[in-house]
């Protein structure tokens, strides 16, 4: 009987405005009723309440985070900022704020709060490290990517995703031997994820190509396509490099055709350029001219 319960709790709050039980009960009732305005109103009162203990607040915020129910609120960031005043070092509140700042591309406070959210009992540190790494990638700070991953791998030595990001950072720094060291190690930890497996071999192929190890590069691209035959970047790069070397041009053409067919609804200039280059190497000049004009 929600209406009677609401009426009773509101009467209690007239005498005791900070009564924890009444505030939490009203929040839960409005949550069950899917009344977002009142749910948000009482969430704010809970966040601001100095009497309600941190564990009770954490339980409420964690449930919102887990169910992704906070996005409908208009002032969720402000509410979390109110809650964190009572526990500035609480990892969960810092994690939520970090995610909100990161979503707004406000990276400086996001980094600060992510670092404070490490060692939480609610969320794995691996998630926090990966979010930090993603921000450092956005900032093109590959040294910080590598440093952060080195720290993370000490805790999560079997995390394939961490090794992938480490390899990608080394590729961006043109340190291809170091990239291969990370990628060949991390690939072994990929379990039941063919898409990620393909991405590993794609980067491995790129690294070998830049080291002029063409046989190993081709083998890596073959493996990448084995795990994901529709990996358009592998189809494009592999066909382009074969055309540069004037090797297996028929295979290069087949891959380039497939790449551009997969992207026909949103054509990519560089993919069309590759196709034109392959056709040029095959002396199919009229068609090559058509494709390079499309790319332009």
């Amino acid at each position: 009987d929600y209406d009677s319960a609401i009426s009773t709790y509101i009467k209690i709050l007239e005498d005791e405005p900070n009564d924890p039980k009444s505030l939490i009960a009203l929040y839960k009732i409005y949550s069950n009723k899917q009344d977002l305005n009142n749910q948000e109103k009482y969430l704010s009162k809970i966040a601001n309440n100095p009497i309600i203990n941190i564990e009770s607040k954490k339980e409420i915020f964690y449930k919102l985070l887990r169910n992704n129910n906070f996005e409908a609120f208009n002032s969720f960031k402000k509410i979390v900022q109110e809650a964190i005043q009572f526990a500035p070092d609480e990892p969960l509140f810092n994690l939520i704020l970090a995610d909100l700042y990161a979503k707004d591309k406000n990276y400086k406070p996001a980094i600060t709060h992510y670092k404070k959210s490490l060692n939480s009992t609610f969320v794995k540190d691996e998630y926090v490290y990966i979010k930090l790494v993603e921000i450092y990638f956005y900032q093109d700070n590959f040294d910080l990517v590598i440093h952060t991953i080195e720290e993370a791998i000490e805790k999560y030595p079997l995390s394939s995703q961490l090794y992938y990001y480490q390899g990608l950072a080394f590729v961006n720094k043109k340190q291809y031997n170091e990239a291969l060291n990370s990628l060949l190690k991390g690939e072994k930890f990929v379990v039941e994820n063919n898409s990620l497996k393909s991405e590993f071999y794609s980067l491995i192929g790129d690294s070998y190509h830049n080291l002029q190890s063409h046989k190993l590069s081709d083998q890596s691209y073959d493996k990448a396509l084995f795990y994901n035959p529709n990996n358009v970047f592998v189809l494009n790069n592999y066909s382009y490099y074969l055309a540069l070397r004037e090797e297996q041009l028929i295979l290069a053409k087949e891959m380039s055709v497939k790449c551009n067919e997969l992207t026909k609804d949103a054509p990519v200039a560089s993919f069309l350029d590759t196709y034109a280059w392959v056709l040029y190497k095959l002396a199919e000049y009229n068609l090559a001219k058509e494709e390079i004009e499309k790319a332009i």
Side-chain angles (χ1 to χ4, degrees):
D1 186 358
Y2 287 150
D3 289 341
S4 297
I6 289 169
S7 176
T8 305
Y9 284 125
I10 287 175
K11 285 180 181 177
I12 294 172
L13 290 172
E14 287 174 0
D15 295 325
E16 299 179 55
N18 285 329
D19 180 61
K21 187 173 181 181
S22 299
L23 291 171
I24 292 172
L26 283 167
Y27 167 78
K28 290 182 177 179
I29 289 171
Y30 285 122
S31 177
N32 291 339
K33 286 168 65 69
Q34 297 184 334
D35 181 339
L36 285 173
N37 288 334
N38 278 306
Q39 187 184 355
E40 187 172 16
K41 173 184 173 181
Y42 283 97
L43 181 64
S44 179
K45 289 180 179 292
I46 290 167
N48 267 312
N49 193 307
I51 301 173
I52 297 175
N53 64 60
I54 297 302
E55 293 305 314
S56 297
K57 292 181 181 181
K58 282 167 58 179
E59 183 180 344
I60 290 168
F61 279 95
Y62 179 65
K63 189 173 181 180
L64 280 170
L65 186 67
R66 186 184 62 194
N67 297 333
N68 210 28
N69 289 342
F70 60 87
E71 293 188 346
F73 295 149
N74 294 319
S75 55
F76 187 64
K77 185 191 291 183
K78 181 182 176 183
I79 292 172
V80 182
Q81 288 168 336
E82 291 167 351
I84 206 171
Q85 292 177 17
F86 298 97
D89 295 321
E90 171 50 47
L92 178 64
F93 296 152
N94 277 285
L95 176 67
I96 296 171
L97 268 183
D99 278 345
L100 292 170
Y101 280 121
K103 187 177 180 180
D104 293 339
K105 294 183 169 52
N106 193 353
Y107 295 133
K108 187 174 180 180
I111 290 168
T112 299
H113 287 292
Y114 274 130
K115 287 182 176 179
K116 281 191 167 188
S117 71
L118 289 167
N119 304 312
S120 167
T121 56
F122 285 92
V123 180
K124 281 187 176 181
D125 284 354
E126 183 181 9
Y127 171 83
V128 179
Y129 283 124
I130 287 172
K131 297 302 287 187
L132 283 168
V133 163
E134 288 174 350
I135 290 174
Y136 295 142
F137 265 115
Y138 292 137
Q139 298 175 330
D140 291 333
N141 194 333
F142 305 118
D143 289 330
L144 266 180
V145 169
I146 293 165
H147 173 76
T148 303
I149 289 174
E150 286 173 351
E151 181 181 327
I153 284 175
E154 290 183 9
K155 293 183 180 180
Y156 302 97
L158 306 182
S159 171
S160 58
Q161 196 170 3
L162 289 171
Y163 284 104
Y164 176 80
Y165 278 137
Q166 188 178 50
L168 183 60
F170 280 125
V171 166
N172 276 280
K173 285 172 64 69
K174 303 187 187 306
Q175 296 176 230
Y176 301 112
N177 285 310
E178 290 84 352
L180 285 169
N181 183 52
S182 300
L183 294 165
L184 291 170
K185 186 182 295 182
E187 176 272 327
K188 297 172 184 175
F189 301 134
V190 181
V191 179
E192 296 181 356
N193 188 337
N194 285 350
S195 178
L196 182 57
K197 200 91 164 175
S198 179
E199 293 304 321
F200 261 95
Y201 279 112
S202 173
L203 271 185
I204 291 168
D206 292 345
S207 300
Y208 278 130
H209 167 76
N210 283 288
L211 291 169
Q212 303 298 309
S213 299
H214 300 309
K215 184 177 179 181
L216 291 172
S217 175
D218 291 354
Q219 290 173 354
S220 301
Y221 288 139
D222 286 334
K223 287 181 180 178
L225 293 174
F226 171 80
Y227 287 108
N228 180 10
N230 294 332
N231 189 324
V232 292
F233 293 101
V234 175
L235 290 167
N236 178 73
N237 291 353
Y238 194 5
S239 57
Y240 181 70
Y241 296 147
L242 288 174
L244 283 179
R245 286 151 41 199
E246 298 187 354
E247 297 176 7
Q248 302 186 69
L249 292 175
I250 300 302
L251 174 61
K253 181 179 178 180
E254 290 173 355
M255 290 192 293
S256 189
V257 167
K258 183 175 182 179
C259 175
N260 283 285
E261 179 64 24
L262 288 167
T263 55
K264 65 181 180 181
D265 293 333
V268 180
S270 60
F271 295 171
L272 291 165
D273 171 73
T274 293
Y275 186 37
W277 185 238
V278 173
L279 291 168
Y280 179 83
K281 290 290 187 176
L282 285 165
E284 297 183 36
Y285 299 123
N286 289 330
L287 189 52
K289 183 172 180 291
E290 289 177 21
E291 295 302 318
I292 199 64
E293 286 175 344
K294 286 182 190 175
I296 292 168

